[in-house]
Amino acid sequence: MGRRLSDNITSRYVEAANKMTSKKARRKIVAYVESYDDVFFWRTVLSRFEDETRFFEVMLPSKKVLLRGKKSVLMNFIDGRVGPDMIACVDADYDYLLQGRTSMSKKILESPYVFHTYSYAIENYQCYAESLHNVAVMVTLNDHSIFDFSRLLREYSEACYPLLVWSVWAYRTGRYTEFSITDFDRIVEMGGLNIQSVKTSLDHLRHKVERKVKGLRQHYPKHTNEIAALDKELRELGVTPSTTYLYMHGHHVFDTIVVPILTKVCNRLRMERETEISRTAVHRTQMHNEMSCYENSIADVKTMLKKNMGYLFCPLFQRLQKDVADFLSASELPGQRELERETEVLGSGGVATARE
């Protein structure tokens, strides 16, 4: 048993604390997340389920040792502690696509008290294609649509999909040292993408992917049927060629694909707005005043992208919210907690007393 009080906090502990409050007080459900950056995202997931009977408190298990990407630390912390009043919320990474092939994936997918993003990470949601024009408007305050973000990410995804299948296969079969996510990221980089010559960059990407896939097929000639079966399984899990970017390494998609292209688009929109101010100003003083006002109103691309909530309309996000709704419905069924306690007693070798 841990020495600190926080070492012994479990769902049962939170449940007991809830019972000590007024009957009219709302039930508190503690939701543990991986890092500071995850707090706001999971607040957007859970807030819609708060009402006069319950509320969520999103928090980190330890402010001292829990750092970004330490999902294993979080899972070790909550092991044996989660329940109706304490849940864990994590990035899916590849664990959803691995479908229980590893201990971590199995733990995340089988526990009714662990929720995952379905997408690789929250950064993938922040890069949701259909929301990027709105991000550009937030940055520049210019609603002129000059670039098709949805088409770019669709074609980028379709080009990357065959390689994603091989990447997931490598991690399912323990061959990730031979073809790691880092290797995958390096191949699907777009380089200096020019918004006026996107086709050239996409054609180069397709060539790189085709060359790598051909090499993998030659290196693993006996696993062709496995790859075909995995392709079919991934599609059944919801992975489609046009949405591959949602299941790829989130930081790669955010930092090397979306931020660079969004920055270039926003620079053009900003120049467009500044040119308009210069052209329509009656005199120099008015121009300087308007320009100063505009510059003070525009924002940074990365900051706005991290605040982007357009993913609320993403089917994956809605699937995640359905999981939370199902959990709350199950945890509030009459006699549910009593049944869980009896199961715990039986599982520990004790004797459960039959109810009248």
Side-chain angles (χ1 to χ4, degrees):
M1 182 176 291
R3 296 180 178 180
R4 296 177 303 174
L5 178 61
S6 61
D7 292 332
N8 301 297
I9 295 178
T10 65
S11 178
R12 294 288 297 277
Y13 176 93
V14 179
E15 178 186 350
N18 282 329
K19 288 184 176 180
M20 293 177 66
T21 61
S22 167
K23 290 184 178 180
K24 295 183 179 181
R26 294 191 299 169
R27 164 191 168 202
K28 179 171 79 170
I29 303 176
V30 174
Y32 281 117
V33 299
E34 299 177 61
S35 71
Y36 291 110
D37 289 343
D38 297 328
V39 173
F40 177 68
F41 172 79
W42 286 102
R43 164 73 10 213
T44 66
V45 174
L46 301 170
S47 60
R48 63 160 290 191
F49 299 102
E50 294 182 327
D51 54 27
E52 66 279 0
T53 65
R54 61 172 173 260
F55 72 98
F56 293 89
E57 183 175 354
V58 183
M59 57 194 299
L60 278 69
S62 172
K63 296 180 180 179
K64 295 182 179 179
V65 300
L66 197 63
L67 304 175
R68 167 176 286 280
K70 297 293 184 180
K71 180 165 62 176
S72 60
V73 177
L74 173 60
M75 295 305 293
N76 288 334
F77 175 86
I78 56 88
D79 192 28
R81 305 183 185 199
V82 290
D85 295 275
M86 180 187 289
I87 61 176
C89 305
V90 300
D91 286 342
D93 298 335
Y94 266 4
D95 290 312
Y96 170 59
L97 303 183
L98 293 180
Q99 287 294 291
R101 299 308 197 279
T102 65
S103 59
M104 179 68 74
S105 174
K106 188 174 182 180
K107 185 181 296 186
I108 290 173
L109 297 185
E110 291 185 355
S111 174
Y113 308 117
V114 177
F115 299 90
H116 62 87
T117 53
Y118 285 104
S119 68
Y120 189 99
I122 63 174
E123 286 80 9
N124 302 78
Y125 279 121
Q126 291 165 347
C127 296
Y128 185 50
E130 281 68 20
S131 70
L132 293 182
H133 172 69
N134 288 346
V135 176
V137 175
M138 287 193 293
V139 172
T140 65
L141 305 181
N142 186 344
D143 197 20
H144 184 195
S145 181
I146 63 172
F147 187 80
D148 192 340
F149 294 104
S150 296
R151 180 178 178 180
L152 170 66
L153 286 178
R154 182 179 65 251
E155 294 186 2
Y156 175 76
S157 293
E158 290 168 350
C160 295
Y161 178 76
L163 204 57
L164 177 72
V165 178
W166 277 98
S167 179
V168 174
W169 176 81
Y171 277 80
R172 281 193 176 195
T173 59
R175 293 181 172 87
Y176 50 85
T177 57
E178 300 171 42
F179 183 41
S180 67
I181 290 179
T182 302
D183 298 328
F184 180 94
D185 289 347
R186 185 173 60 252
I187 294 168
V188 297
E189 285 181 355
M190 292 284 281
L193 179 63
N194 189 323
I195 62 176
Q196 294 179 319
S197 58
V198 174
K199 185 178 182 302
T200 301
S201 297
L202 287 171
D203 287 342
H204 180 60
L205 171 65
R206 294 186 187 101
H207 175 71
K208 290 193 296 179
V209 170
E210 290 171 1
R211 184 172 57 191
K212 181 61 179 180
V213 168
K214 181 179 179 181
L216 289 167
R217 286 173 179 166
Q218 292 175 343
H219 191 66
Y220 301 105
K222 298 181 181 180
H223 299 282
T224 304
N225 291 337
E226 290 181 34
I227 295 299
L230 178 57
D231 181 357
K232 181 180 178 181
E233 182 184 346
L234 290 179
R235 291 172 189 259
E236 291 173 350
L237 290 174
V239 184
T240 64
S242 62
T243 59
T244 305
Y245 76 97
L246 290 172
Y247 303 92
M248 292 167 55
H249 185 199
H251 281 293
H252 168 80
V253 175
F254 187 98
D255 291 326
T256 70
I257 305 299
V258 174
V259 167
I261 193 64
L262 190 57
T263 298
K264 291 178 180 179
V265 170
C266 287
N267 285 342
R268 286 191 56 184
L269 290 174
R270 187 179 293 117
M271 291 177 60
E272 185 179 271
R273 180 65 77 206
E274 290 174 350
T275 299
E276 179 186 358
I277 292 173
S278 299
R279 187 183 68 253
T280 58
V282 177
H283 46 72
R284 185 174 295 274
T285 300
Q286 183 188 43
M287 183 190 72
H288 284 307
N289 290 340
E290 288 294 323
M291 200 71 77
S292 177
C293 180
Y294 177 64
E295 290 175 354
N296 290 331
S297 300
I298 58 180
D300 173 71
V301 169
K302 275 195 173 183
T303 300
M304 288 297 101
L305 197 56
K306 284 184 175 293
K307 292 181 178 180
N308 178 28
M309 293 178 61
Y311 54 76
L312 294 175
F313 302 101
C314 176
L316 281 187
F317 183 82
Q318 294 171 355
R319 184 176 179 184
L320 168 57
Q321 290 204 312
K322 183 179 184 302
D323 288 346
V324 177
D326 291 343
F327 152 72
L328 291 172
S329 296
S331 68
E332 293 173 358
L333 290 175
Q336 178 70 22
R337 298 196 179 187
E338 286 73 15
L339 179 60
E340 288 173 353
R341 290 197 189 96
E342 290 182 356
T343 303
E344 288 178 4
V345 173
L346 290 171
S348 62
V351 178
T353 302
R355 295 182 179 275
E356 295 293 335

